[in-house]
Amino acid sequence: MPLDIKDPLVQMKITSAVCSFVAISTTVYRLFVRRGRLWADDAWALFSMMVLFVQIASVFMHVPNPDKISKVNRVAAYYLMATSFYTIIWSARLSILFSIIRLDPSERRRRRLLWIGVLFFLVLVFLICQLFWVCEPEPKWKDMRSPQCTLNKQVAICQLVSDIIADLILIIAPLKLLSGLEDVGLRHRLMVIFSTCIVTTIVSLVHAAYILTLGGVKVVIAALVEDCVSLIVCNIPVVVTAAIRIREESQQAKSRKTGAMSTMLHFATRVFSQKDTTSTFPSPTAYVTTVHLDDLSTGITSTTLSSNNLKDEVRDDTQSFGKSGPHDPFSIQVHDVDEELGNNAKYGSRSMI
């Protein structure tokens, strides 16, 4: 039997499946990258993902024929979906907050951020309690085939205000930390990464608008999208930084390979040049060549040649030739500078990933 895309329950399940798959994938990759160095921010991301599984189960409990399950189970499915909505979002925000705490070297700022984390947890408890004191006095919604509590303006306003304030805190909190980075490009990249919290705020605005106007299944669909976006955003700092590091390491490996081949070519060129010069000048002549192989930033090898005064070298080598016997008139001095590209700002053992 083909799926009816116009069916609100089918739309809700498709939205949950697709968005949850992306959110879970980014979380699993984050935990894989951070393996062996797991911290509180990773624990909150893992907890958020576990609650997302609970939400997926509650969404798929909305079967086409609700009469197949009892009224209590249908109401329980709604409460599971509603409470998991708040839990996923605020757990993801706590993960971002603890990522900043992990990176920040200032004990004073870290202490302040910890108190903000306590505040985030209290807001989560408040919103869940608000859900029950708004829905329980109105028992009529529990008799519906697919129970869904009608949320009022109080819920929408509290949710919207708390979301905007929390996301602004998460955007402003890392600015002091990132301002200390010497690498301007890296600083801008990390600012953009942490600023992705604004995406959660945008989705939250849409969700609040549906609560205030339309209601119905679209509120649930907007909530599912907001959940998954929040979890994806909390994983972005780790996932994107890991991707940048992988790209830089591949570029460095390619540059080292190119530098090695270039060195061999220059050495071969010098050997052939030595043979040609020996056949052209039978008399002992000294010619000093300096080869500079600098690998400071791009890994591309550049060669600079310099020669001493030919007359002085010929005079010196002619005098020493008769005393000490023949010797190799060619000496090659190779200066190879190899520096690794890395992060200009080092905060102890802390790293983004």
Side-chain angles (χ1 to χ4, degrees):
M1 180 179 179
L3 293 176
D4 184 8
I5 304 299
K6 295 181 179 180
D7 185 355
L9 294 179
V10 174
Q11 294 175 355
M12 189 169 63
K13 292 174 183 178
I14 292 176
T15 303
S16 176
V18 174
C19 296
S20 298
F21 174 78
V22 179
I24 292 171
S25 299
T26 56
T27 307
V28 170
Y29 181 72
R30 173 214 180 100
L31 297 175
F32 174 77
V33 170
R34 292 279 303 159
R35 66 191 185 281
R37 298 170 294 162
L38 298 176
W39 204 63
D41 56 332
D42 306 299
W44 280 113
L46 177 62
F47 176 72
S48 184
M49 183 180 69
M50 293 295 102
V51 179
L52 180 58
F53 282 115
V54 175
Q55 185 185 76
I56 294 172
S58 65
V59 169
F60 280 85
M61 284 179 66
H62 288 76
V63 294
N65 185 9
D67 295 332
K68 292 182 178 180
I69 58 177
S70 65
K71 174 183 175 181
V72 174
N73 289 335
R74 293 198 301 268
V75 174
Y78 171 78
Y79 274 127
L80 275 177
M81 187 166 53
T83 55
S84 61
F85 162 74
Y86 291 118
T87 306
I88 293 170
I89 289 178
W90 288 92
S91 298
R93 288 189 175 121
L94 283 167
S95 177
I96 298 174
L97 185 67
F98 275 89
S99 294
I100 300 171
I101 294 174
R102 174 169 56 87
L103 295 171
D104 201 327
S106 172
E107 287 294 333
R108 186 177 181 182
R109 287 199 300 267
R110 294 178 70 176
R111 195 178 300 112
R112 291 177 180 175
L113 292 174
L114 283 173
W115 281 111
I116 293 176
V118 174
L119 181 61
F120 279 13
F121 181 78
L122 293 177
V123 172
L124 168 62
V125 174
F126 168 78
L127 291 174
I128 292 176
C129 293
Q130 183 189 46
L131 175 70
F132 283 94
W133 80 54
V134 168
C135 294
E136 283 301 311
E138 300 291 337
K140 294 182 180 179
W141 63 271
K142 296 180 182 180
D143 298 326
M144 299 170 62
R145 287 173 58 85
S146 295
Q148 182 180 347
C149 176
T150 303
L151 302 177
N152 54 27
K153 292 182 179 180
Q154 173 190 346
V155 175
I157 293 173
C158 289
Q159 177 184 315
L160 189 59
V161 172
S162 61
D163 287 346
I164 292 175
I165 293 176
D167 291 336
L168 283 176
I169 290 174
L170 294 177
I171 293 173
I172 296 173
L175 293 181
K176 186 67 176 179
L177 169 66
L178 300 179
S179 62
L181 294 177
E182 297 179 4
D183 190 337
V184 178
L186 178 62
R187 184 196 310 160
H188 290 165
R189 286 200 301 270
L190 294 180
M191 284 183 177
V192 171
I193 289 172
F194 280 106
S195 297
T196 51
C197 298
I198 198 68
V199 178
T200 308
T201 305
I202 295 173
V203 180
S204 177
L205 290 172
V206 176
H207 184 207
Y210 281 140
I211 293 176
L212 294 173
T213 56
L214 300 176
V217 179
K218 290 188 177 181
V219 174
V220 179
I221 294 177
L224 296 175
V225 174
E226 185 178 356
D227 274 348
C228 296
V229 169
S230 299
L231 187 53
I232 293 170
V233 166
C234 90
N235 294 322
I236 283 179
V238 175
V239 173
V240 173
T241 307
I244 292 174
R245 176 173 293 184
I246 292 173
R247 186 188 66 178
E248 290 180 350
E249 287 178 353
S250 63
Q251 290 178 348
Q252 290 176 4
K254 184 177 180 180
S255 299
R256 284 193 293 268
K257 183 178 179 181
T258 305
M261 294 179 62
S262 179
T263 302
M264 294 176 63
L265 290 174
H266 281 297
F267 180 74
T269 302
R270 287 297 148 205
V271 171
F272 285 114
S273 177
Q274 175 181 351
K275 292 181 179 180
D276 295 341
T277 309
T278 305
S279 60
T280 306
F281 301 99
S283 60
T285 303
Y287 187 86
V288 181
T289 305
T290 303
V291 182
H292 297 280
L293 304 175
D294 296 333
D295 184 13
L296 298 176
S297 58
T298 61
I300 301 175
T301 304
S302 61
T303 304
T304 305
L305 302 179
S306 63
S307 61
N308 293 332
N309 190 288
L310 184 59
K311 294 183 180 180
D312 294 339
E313 296 298 331
V314 171
R315 188 187 310 113
D316 294 339
D317 286 341
T318 305
Q319 293 174 358
S320 60
F321 180 78
K323 297 178 182 180
S324 58
H327 63 281
D328 187 1
F330 292 86
S331 62
I332 301 177
Q333 302 171 359
V334 180
H335 303 279
D336 189 359
V337 180
D338 184 13
E339 294 182 1
E340 294 183 357
L341 295 173
N343 197 333
N344 290 329
K346 298 180 181 178
Y347 301 109
S349 60
R350 301 184 180 92
S351 63
M352 179 67 66
I353 62 173

